[in-house]
Amino acid sequence: MTVTTLSALLDKMWKDYTAMNPQAQKIHDLFLEKGETIQNDHIALRTFNHPKVNVNVLAQPFLKSDYVVKGEYEFPEKKLLARHYEHMDTTLPKIFISELKLEEFDQELQDTIHQLIDQMPNDLPQRFDFCSLGRPWEVSFLVYENLRKKSEYASWVAAHGYRPNHFTVLVNGLKNFDTLRQVNEFIKINGFAMNDSGGEIKGSKDVFLEQSSTKADVVKVPFTDGTYEIPACYYEFALRYPLPNGELYQGFVAKSADKIFESTDKG
Ligand code: NI
């Protein structure tokens, strides 16, 4: 079935994400069993700053669906730029799209990524559901491992392609949890591991946003030289605090997200 509407796209992204990462559906269901209704704070997508697939290209289906750019973030250490998009309908998730700045890496990494991108038909990224199509190129585990030494982020996109990196539970929308710590304890009691890079909770009330995330599910991924188990996607939790004007902060905190990116690192 051709995906042409925002709701169909968001639905497809969730189905693909939970099919690949069973922990997300399990955690989602645990919240439902407690009588919660889950509001998705944001969906995160990853790409490269190549003109064929950069943030602007990935943002197209959302811009066509009345999303607008609301923030831009720099991650100098990870060599990333990100933008976040919001819809007037605040029940719809924010979309957070980051891109790796290829020119800040050595020629070998740039050549490798160009070889992947060149395998795609030019018009493929124009598809409305491009951001849910998965990996549009062939890649070997050897290439994946070489990329990983220079950038975990580059290796993740090379291996998994275009699909949500994570969905995010808005903790403010939960009835039975007042703090992010309570959510983390609930997740751990149920047998899931949290990403503790930089501490389990990233951010604070002072920056109006606290975030935590699970460690990514490890999944079997087919490469040209065999099938290997590698980290896939994680589930994130966000608690937002009101700004002095009383409205909940809707942006992101670069310093926190920097550590959240490490949820897909090979431990
Ligand atoms: Ni996030």
Side-chain angles (χ1 to χ4, degrees):
M1 202 184 70
T2 321
V3 171
T4 54
T5 66
L6 177 67
S7 65
L9 178 59
L10 295 175
D11 192 48
K12 183 167 183 259
M13 288 164 91
W14 173 253
K15 284 191 176 128
D16 171 76
Y17 167 74
T18 50
M20 187 182 197
N21 305 278
Q23 63 159 298
Q25 187 71 57
K26 286 181 198 153
I27 293 170
H28 181 90
D29 292 347
L30 285 168
F31 281 121
L32 296 190
E33 282 164 28
K34 281 190 83 84
E36 302 287 2
T37 45
I38 295 182
Q39 195 184 330
N40 183 16
D41 181 76
H42 65 271
I43 301 171
L45 298 167
R46 293 178 169 186
T47 190
F48 303 110
N49 69 348
H50 186 291
K52 200 162 148 185
V53 290
N54 64 19
V55 165
N56 285 331
V57 174
L58 260 71
Q60 284 312 309
F62 304 102
L63 293 171
K64 282 178 192 151
S65 308
D66 300 327
Y67 272 81
V68 290
V69 187
K70 284 284 188 172
E72 188 170 285
Y73 312 88
E74 292 274 359
F75 304 90
E77 207 180 301
K78 300 214 160 39
K79 304 179 169 60
L80 296 169
L81 173 108
R83 291 202 190 97
H84 101 256
Y85 302 82
E86 290 179 33
H87 199 278
M88 254 170 37
D89 176 353
T90 55
T91 64
L92 290 171
K94 290 177 274 295
I95 307 294
F96 181 92
I97 313 176
S98 55
E99 63 183 17
L100 193 70
K101 296 176 181 175
L102 294 175
E103 69 282 2
E104 295 190 12
F105 289 88
D106 63 25
Q107 197 58 48
E108 191 194 6
L109 182 139
Q110 295 186 42
D111 291 347
T112 302
I113 301 305
H114 284 155
Q115 279 162 18
L116 299 181
I117 293 171
D118 287 346
Q119 293 179 39
M120 264 189 297
N122 275 330
D123 57 351
L124 188 72
Q126 310 309 318
R127 261 182 68 163
F128 191 78
D129 59 352
F130 176 68
C131 66
S132 70
L133 291 184
R135 193 178 74 197
W137 47 65
E138 294 289 344
V139 65
S140 70
F141 186 67
L142 183 68
V143 164
Y144 167 81
E145 283 286 280
N146 282 334
L147 283 173
R148 202 165 67 78
K149 288 172 200 150
K150 295 172 187 171
S151 164
E152 287 270 0
Y153 183 104
S155 69
W156 191 94
V157 181
H160 299 296
Y162 295 96
R163 56 176 75 246
N165 173 264
H166 60 271
F167 278 67
T168 311
V169 175
L170 178 64
V171 174
N172 303 67
L174 302 174
K175 292 174 298 197
N176 300 295
F177 300 86
D178 296 324
T179 66
L180 192 56
R181 183 172 301 277
Q182 288 171 356
V183 171
N184 293 350
E185 292 310 313
F186 177 66
I187 301 302
K188 286 189 289 183
I189 273 173
N190 283 287
F192 300 94
M194 301 296 292
N195 164 20
D196 54 10
S197 169
E200 266 179 24
I201 295 178
K202 284 81 174 166
S204 66
K205 197 176 174 179
D206 297 337
V207 292
F208 308 106
L209 174 63
E210 286 180 354
Q211 288 163 277
S212 64
S213 62
T214 61
K215 279 190 98 66
D217 259 327
V218 171
V219 304
K220 287 191 176 123
V221 172
F223 292 91
T224 52
D225 48 356
T227 295
Y228 292 87
E229 290 197 337
I230 61 165
C233 308
Y234 55 90
Y235 210 9
E236 188 173 293
F237 313 95
L239 179 62
R240 295 186 175 278
Y241 288 92
L243 294 163
N245 69 10
E247 282 175 27
L248 281 188
Y249 178 61
Q250 294 299 330
F252 293 83
V253 178
K255 219 178 115 200
S256 306
D258 203 60
K259 293 294 172 199
I260 289 269
F261 277 116
E262 291 169 18
S263 305
T264 54
D265 285 9
K266 247 182 170 176

